[in-house]
Amino acid sequence: MKFPLPQIVKSLFPELIWKMPAGGNALYFTFDDGPCPQVTPWVLDELDKYDAKATFFCIGKNAELYPELVELIKTRGHSVGNHTYSHTKGWAKRTGEYVEDIELANSFLNSTLFRPPYGRITKHQIKRLSARYHIIMWDIISRDYSSVVSPRKCIREVMPHVREGSVIVFHDSLKASRNLFYALPRILESVHKQGYKCRAIDL
Ligand SMILES: [Zn+2]
């Protein structure tokens, strides 16, 4: 099994969103951990080349530092989601503390979309958060953040798995930039040639 953790989590928590409904050849690119001045504007320009829309799960701390980038993401037609204030791991936090961190992030993000950092979230936290947020997981992860994944490998982590409704994870972070700068333009070009439309998650 390639990604044992999400598979197990998937069966335990069917209320989480792993994939969007198929239809209209839509794909859902998502970018976590930004905004980041060295990476986010570049991502926006790459997306514009194909009139592609995406969803940016921002860390609240970064949104507080760079509010103009959050505004730029929105004005360019993309969605913004909440990825906690301090990139908190749900399994390591009491629900109250975790929700507080997310609420603090939302004062800078004002979103109804949430993605848990590391995909680590407890059943109790899901219960509390799903009253207010759509919790968006993924079905494809590029592993662009990994120093042991090459830029080419990053493309192979994505392309063979793409299907209508796929939710694909990238990162607009410095850590991921080595892989992202190589892989994203090539992946965008390939999915465009295959007739897919990249859409923002808008729930
Ligand atoms: Zn993250």
Side-chain angles (χ1 to χ4, degrees), residues 115-127:
R115 171 174 285 159
Y118 317 99
R120 304 282 166 95
I121 185 166
T122 68
K123 196 160 184 108
H124 192 226
Q125 290 163 352
I126 292 170
K127 209 173 163 192

Side-chain angles (χ1 to χ4, degrees), residues 74-92:
K74 291 180 182 171
T75 56
R76 302 271 284 262
H78 308 285
S79 298
V80 163
N82 187 326
H83 196 49
T84 75
Y85 181 80
S86 43
H87 210 254
T88 312
K89 200 176 277 181
W91 289 2

Side-chain angles (χ1 to χ4, degrees), residues 58-71:
C58 298
I59 295 174
K61 205 184 274 181
N62 292 343
E64 184 179 22
L65 278 173
Y66 308 112
E68 69 286 355
L69 288 180
V70 177
E71 272 320 297

Side-chain angles (χ1 to χ4, degrees), residues 48-61:
D48 273 0
K49 290 179 187 169
Y50 298 96
D51 196 23
K53 302 301 179 206
T55 307
F56 290 76
F57 287 93
C58 298
I59 295 174
K61 205 184 274 181

